[in-house]
Each structure stands twice: as C-alpha cells, then as structure tokens.
C-alpha cells in the first residue's frame, strides 16, 4: 500500500479529487467506484468545484457505489442513493442512468446482488474505487467476521456499526440492520483503490491496519495485498502510526 499523509482533511480531499481528475483526463469514459459516509464528502465537494470550473466532464462516466441499506429506497434521505444524488450527482453533468447503487428495496435480494456484480463486469470493471473505513475496520459494509464474502451480498450490520451510524437516524428502530454491499472480491478487482481515512477517531484502526497482519477481523487489512492501493490519511488519523 502506498501511504500519503496530508496535513488536513481539505488537503486529503483535494488530493483524492486530483487523482480522479487525472484518471478522467486519461480515460473520459472510466468507471468510478464510490463510497458514502462523512469522509468522502470533501472529495465530492472538490469534484463539484472542478466540474464548475470546467475542469472535469462527467458526461461519459459510469459509477458504482459500494453499498446500500436494506429496506431504504432511493427517496429516503438516509439512503446512499439519496446521499450520492445530494452530494455529487445533482451538481455535475453525469448521466444518472450510468450511476449505480444497489437497490435497497429489491424483492429478490440474491438476484439484485448477482445482477450488480454482472453489471460491474459488463462495464469493464472499476478503474478507481474510493473507500472509507468504519471504526471497526469495515470497508463497504463488509463487517469483521470469521469469513468475508467475495461478491456483492447482503450483510448483517454489527452493533458497533449500528451505534456508529445511528447518529443519522431519528431512532434505533429506524436504523436498518442489514445492507447490500460489494464483497471483498468485488472491491479487490478494482484496478486502483484509494482509501481515505480522516480524524482522531480512526487513529486506532489505522494503527491496527498497518500492523503487518491480514485478518478477516479487520476487513480493510486485505487491501495490503492489492497491487495499486493508496491510503490517504490526514495527520489526526495518522497520529498513532510510528514515524
Ligand atoms: C459506512 C459506509 C462505509 C464508510 C463508513 C465510515 O458504514 N458503509 O463505506 O466507510 O460508513 O463512514 P465515515 O466516513 O462517516 O466515518
């Protein structure tokens, strides 16, 4: 893994946006893998800014999101479809027909997962996958467990993830307990991965991530064997790393 340590969250976001701009300059019809959560919001702001300045044309871009809450449809203001529209897609010239997020209310979940996986393949695979990380080391919604899944699948959220994401919902009853997520295999197939980690509350998991072990109990640790993965940290997230 290549490591980039940036002074601030703004610098981290700018760095990631410029990496994506570089890819789009080289390959205007590239496929982007996108993430949700608070971490990539700064990146999306930068991409919108670059687009408004005439620096990025998204008209030929295809996107695949990592995950979606089971039980929320795209109109729900905490669904990841809503998040993506609100933070990025509504502000750039992307064709929304080319933006894919798993359907959280699909009747046949297995079929939805299978089709999502096939569609990624059909579109030529993901060129850059943006990732955040959960405080428990999850990527997408691949939670720490004895085993991890290869392909897009349905995942039970851990209590830790539910507690951590509860802040976005008005009550625990409203918070979904499952999600559809790309699998570890789907993520690892991306040609390049950019993992963004910001803030003091991620410093512990960052220290564990760089302890030289790979374990399904820390799903992000598998990224160590990807041949083109860049981890971008701000100084707070990097604060417990040995220099
Ligand atoms: C959610 C998403 C992850 C994201 C994580 C961390 O659980 N499924 O993709 O990385 O939140 O979010 P944040 O960036 O808000 O810490």
């Amino acid at each position: 893994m290549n490591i980039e340590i940036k002074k601030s969250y703004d610098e981290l976001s700018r760095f990631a946006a410029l990496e994506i701009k570089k890819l789009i300059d080289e390959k205007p019809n590239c496929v982007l893998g996108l993430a949700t959560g608070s971490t990539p919001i700064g990146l999306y702001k930068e991409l919108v800014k670059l687009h408004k300045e005439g620096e990025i044309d998204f008209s030929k871009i295809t996107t695949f999101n990592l995950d979606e809450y089971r039980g929320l449809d795209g109109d729900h203001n905490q669904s990841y479809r809503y998040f993506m529209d609100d933070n990025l897609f509504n502000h750039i010239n992307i064709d929304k027909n080319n933006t894919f997020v798993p359907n959280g209310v699909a009747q046949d979940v297995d079929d939805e997962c299978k089709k999502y996986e096939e569609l990624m393949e059909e579109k030529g695979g993901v060129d850059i996958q943006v990732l955040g990380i959960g405080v428990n080391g999850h990527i997408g919604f691949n939670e720490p467990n004895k085993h991890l899944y290869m392909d897009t699948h349905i995942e039970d959220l851990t209590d830790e993830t539910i507690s951590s994401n509860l802040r976005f919902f008005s009550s625990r009853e409203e918070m979904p307990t499952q999600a559809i997520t790309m699998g570890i295999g789907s993520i690892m197939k991306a040609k390049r991965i950019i993992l963004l980690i910001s803030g003091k509350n991620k410093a512990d998991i960052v220290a564990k991530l760089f302890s030289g072990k790979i374990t399904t109990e820390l799903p992000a640790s598998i990224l160590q064997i990807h041949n083109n993965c860049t981890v971008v940290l701000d100084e707070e997230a990097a604060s417990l790393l040995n220099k």
Side-chain angles (χ1 to χ4, degrees), residues 34-40 66-69 80 130-135 138-143 157 161 164-165 167-168 179 181 195-196 198 201-202:
L34 299 177
T36 50
S38 32
T39 310
L66 282 166
D67 45 15
E68 179 61 282
Y69 286 117
Y80 286 164
V130 176
L131 291 179
I133 189 170
V135 280
H138 74 210
I139 46 177
F141 268 128
N142 293 277
E143 298 280 38
L157 305 182
T161 296
S164 157
N165 289 9
R167 64 190 194 275
F168 301 110
T181 180
L195 168 61
L196 303 176
S198 161
N201 67 328
K202 299 282 171 70

Side-chain angles (χ1 to χ4, degrees), residues 22 51 72 82 120 185-186 188 207 226:
K22 244 187 264 167
H51 169 67
L72 300 193
Y82 189 97
M120 279 192 279
S186 341
M188 289 292 282
H226 193 280

Side-chain angles (χ1 to χ4, degrees), residues 1-2 4 12-23 32-35 39-40 43-44 66 126-133 139 187 190-197 223 226 228-233:
M1 291 196 288
N2 312 312
E4 293 277 343
L12 165 152
S13 303
R14 180 85 184 153
F15 173 84
L18 292 177
E19 291 300 297
I20 288 178
K21 178 186 163 358
K22 244 187 264 167
L23 170 68
L32 300 176
L34 299 177
T39 310
L43 157 65
Y44 298 149
L66 282 166
V126 169
D127 290 294
I128 286 188
Q129 175 67 57
V130 176
L131 291 179
I133 189 170
I139 46 177
I187 293 172
K191 295 168 191 108
R192 183 172 177 206
I193 293 175
I194 300 182
L195 168 61
L196 303 176
I197 316 183
L223 299 173
H226 193 280
N228 194 357
C229 175
T230 306
V231 185
V232 194
L233 305 162

Side-chain angles (χ1 to χ4, degrees), residues 208-232:
K208 287 189 190 139
L209 181 61
F210 289 103
S211 66
K213 293 180 199 138
I214 295 173
T215 163
T216 58
E217 296 298 336
L218 200 175
S221 65
I222 197 140
L223 299 173
Q224 294 175 99
I225 55 175
H226 193 280
N227 64 7
N228 194 357
C229 175
T230 306
V231 185
V232 194

